[in-house]
Amino acid sequence: MADRNACGKDDASSASLRSVSGDIQALSLSHDICSDADPCAEEGLEGEKSPATSTPPHRSHDPRNNLKRSDPFQFGSRYLLEQDDVFEFNAWDHVEPDEEYKEYSESQFAKQKEAPVSEYDKKRFNTDPAKWWNLFYKNNTSNFFKNRKWLQQEFPILSTITQLDSPPTTVLEVGAGAGNTAFPILAHNKNPKLKIYACDYSKKAVELIRENEQYDEAFIQADVWDAAGTELPPGLDEGSVDIVLMLFIFSALNPDQWQQAIRNAWKLLKPDGQILFRDYGRGDLAQVRFKKGRYMDENFYIRGDGTRVYFFEREQLGRLWADPERIGAGRPENEDAPEAVAATQSSTEEPCPGFEIVDLGVDRRLIVNRQRKLKMYRCWLQGRFRKRVKP
C-alpha cells in the first residue's frame, strides 16, 4: 500500500502551524488511482432537499441544482470569499494555499532534503520499478481501485469518440492500472470502431484487466509495455493512435525517462493526435506529508510501497512537452548542463518536434473535512497536448 503515515508535527510554537501539521497528520491518502486523483470526488451533495431559487448552482447542496462546468479547464467555480464559512462545503475551487501553509510546506521540503533516500535504496527503487508496481497490484484487489467517473467531464473528447456516429478511433492508455479508466469509457461506448489499448509495465495490473468480466478484445487489448522503453506497444504502429491517455503515470517515471516517454507518445500518435494529461502539482498535500527517507531528488519521492512519484510545476511541464529535445537528461534545472546536452546529442532517436500545448491548467482545491474541521490543499496539473508535425 501507499505510505499513509502523515508527517510529524512541526516543532514551531505557532499554534496555527501546529494546526496545519495536525490537519495533514489526520489525513489518510492513497495512490492517484483512488479518490485523491478524482477532481470531483470530494464534492458533497448532502444538505438541503429543495434549493432556493436564489441559490446559484455552484452554491447549492442539491444535486438537481448542482453546477456542471462546460469548460474543463475552468476547474469549477466555487470561489471562497472572505465572508464564507469554509466548512459549508466539502471543497472550494482555485484556493491558493495561505502563507502559513506555504511556510510549513517549505519547512517540510527542507526536512525531506536533509534525510533523503540512501544511495542503495535509490538504486534499488529505480532499477526495477515494475517490481514495486507488481507488488502493489498483488496486495490490492480490483475492488480497491475506484473508477474514474470524472473522465468525460474533464476531457469531453472522450464523450465524443464514444458516440454511435463517431469515426474509428484508437486510444492508448499509458499506465492503465486495473482498468479504472478504460472500462468506464467502454461502459458509455456506442462506437463499434473504438479500440482501447490498455498498457502498463506491471504484469499484475494487466492480469487484473484481462480477468475483468468487461474485458472484450473487440474493444480493449491489455498488454505489458514500458512507456520509456525503445519498443512500441503490441499491436500498434507509428502514427496509428488518435488519443493517448496519461493520467497519473508521468509522475511515476524517473526524470531521466521523460524524454523517451514523450518521444514514444509522439511516434504513436497520428498527425494532430492528442495527449490527455493529468498529474500531481508541486505543493500538493501528498508531497508535503512525506517523511524522512522518502526524498530521492528535487520533487521526486519514493512511497512506502516502493512506487515513485514526481510533483510538477506548470511551466516545467510546458517546456517538457513543447520541446522535449531541449530537456536532455530530463531535469529542466539541468537542461543546459553538459551531461544534458550530451544525452541529447548522443541519442540515436530521430529528433522529436514536440507538442502544441492546447491547454495546461493548475487545478487547486481546498478540501475540507466538515465534521473534523480539517483543511487540506490539493494541486493537480491537467493538459491537452497536440502532436506537432515535422516542418
Side-chain angles (χ1 to χ4, degrees):
M1 292 290 290
D3 181 10
R4 300 172 186 271
N5 296 321
C7 55
K9 290 189 176 180
D10 191 271
D11 295 329
S13 58
S14 167
S16 59
L17 283 184
R18 287 199 302 270
S19 175
V20 170
S21 179
D23 290 356
I24 295 174
Q25 190 175 34
L27 182 67
S28 176
L29 293 172
S30 71
H31 281 286
D32 51 86
I33 44 187
C34 297
S35 60
D36 66 325
D38 186 338
C40 311
E42 300 88 356
E43 290 293 341
L45 300 177
E46 70 278 10
E48 305 172 27
K49 297 299 181 182
S50 300
T53 55
S54 61
T55 303
H58 60 280
R59 293 279 177 161
S60 173
H61 291 279
D62 193 299
R64 294 170 296 175
N65 193 40
N66 194 260
L67 181 69
K68 297 296 184 183
R69 59 183 181 270
S70 58
D71 181 352
F73 288 86
Q74 288 182 353
F75 301 119
S77 57
R78 185 182 292 147
Y79 295 90
L80 181 63
L81 305 178
E82 186 175 352
Q83 68 270 21
D84 285 325
D85 174 8
V86 69
F87 297 108
E88 181 181 358
F89 293 95
N90 290 352
W92 300 88
D93 301 303
H94 311 288
V95 181
E96 288 282 344
D98 57 36
E99 290 304 315
E100 289 180 334
Y101 182 85
K102 290 179 180 178
E103 291 178 8
Y104 175 76
S105 298
E106 292 303 322
S107 70
Q108 287 298 106
F109 298 155
K111 291 177 182 178
Q112 292 165 358
K113 292 180 181 180
E114 291 172 357
V117 174
S118 68
E119 288 300 317
Y120 170 79
D121 280 340
K122 185 181 293 188
K123 182 178 180 180
R124 184 164 65 100
F125 293 125
N126 280 323
T127 299
D128 186 13
K131 168 186 174 181
W132 305 101
W133 282 108
N134 280 329
L135 288 172
F136 174 76
Y137 287 108
K138 180 180 179 181
N139 292 333
N140 297 285
T141 65
S142 58
N143 292 333
F144 172 82
F145 309 102
K146 288 189 175 182
N147 284 340
R148 288 167 170 158
K149 300 177 181 179
W150 44 268
L151 288 166
Q152 283 80 8
Q153 178 171 312
E154 296 304 309
F155 300 107
I157 191 174
L158 295 178
S159 291
T160 302
I161 63 173
T162 58
Q163 299 303 309
L164 181 62
D165 57 351
S166 295
T169 305
T170 300
V171 176
L172 167 64
E173 184 187 3
V174 183
N180 301 90
T181 294
F183 289 125
I185 294 175
L186 292 177
H188 294 88
N189 181 49
K190 298 178 182 178
N191 181 357
K193 297 296 184 180
L194 174 70
K195 183 67 175 285
I196 298 178
Y197 289 81
C199 294
D200 201 289
Y201 58 17
S202 165
K203 294 180 180 179
K204 186 61 181 177
V206 171
E207 288 175 6
L208 289 175
I209 295 178
R210 292 176 176 175
E211 293 168 0
N212 193 301
E213 61 182 11
Q214 302 174 65
Y215 187 74
D216 181 350
E217 290 190 347
F219 296 98
I220 181 172
Q221 177 178 322
D223 289 291
V224 175
W225 180 60
D226 182 357
T230 57
E231 303 292 331
L232 297 183
L236 291 175
D237 299 318
E238 291 190 23
S240 63
V241 175
D242 296 285
I243 295 172
V244 173
L245 288 167
M246 300 188 75
L247 308 178
F248 299 95
I249 169 59
F250 208 59
S251 57
L253 300 176
N254 187 299
D256 292 334
Q257 299 176 298
W258 293 342
Q259 186 185 65
Q260 184 61 42
I262 294 174
R263 283 173 173 169
N264 286 340
W266 188 90
K267 285 193 295 185
L268 285 160
L269 280 169
K270 298 175 182 178
D272 293 326
Q274 291 189 44
I275 303 284
L276 306 184
F277 184 98
R278 188 173 174 90
D279 223 316
Y280 294 109
R282 188 179 189 277
D284 181 71
L285 178 63
Q287 179 182 17
V288 175
R289 65 190 290 272
F290 275 113
K291 300 182 2 180
K292 64 181 181 179
R294 300 297 177 202
Y295 176 92
M296 291 207 295
D297 208 336
E298 189 70 21
N299 298 322
F300 191 40
Y301 299 81
I302 193 72
R303 296 187 180 99
D305 57 10
T307 60
R308 306 173 303 190
V309 60
Y310 190 97
F311 298 85
F312 295 95
E313 300 269 13
R314 181 179 181 275
E315 294 74 15
Q316 172 191 17
L317 269 180
R319 291 196 302 267
L320 278 166
W321 287 91
D323 189 6
E325 297 305 313
R326 180 67 175 164
I327 301 308
R331 297 175 178 82
E333 61 269 25
N334 295 331
E335 62 184 8
D336 294 317
E339 61 270 23
V341 175
T344 301
Q345 293 176 342
S346 63
S347 174
T348 58
E349 290 275 353
E350 189 175 346
C352 173
F355 290 79
E356 173 195 351
I357 308 302
V358 180
D359 295 293
L360 182 54
V362 181
D363 187 2
R364 292 190 181 277
R365 299 195 110 200
L366 173 60
I367 310 300
V368 300
N369 184 314
R370 297 158 70 184
Q371 182 177 4
R372 302 179 65 185
K373 304 300 182 184
L374 302 179
K375 296 191 295 183
M376 299 152 281
Y377 292 94
R378 305 308 313 271
C379 179
W380 302 286
L381 297 178
Q382 183 169 303
R384 288 189 298 140
F385 315 137
R386 181 177 290 120
K387 178 176 180 176
R388 187 180 290 136
V389 182
K390 296 177 183 178

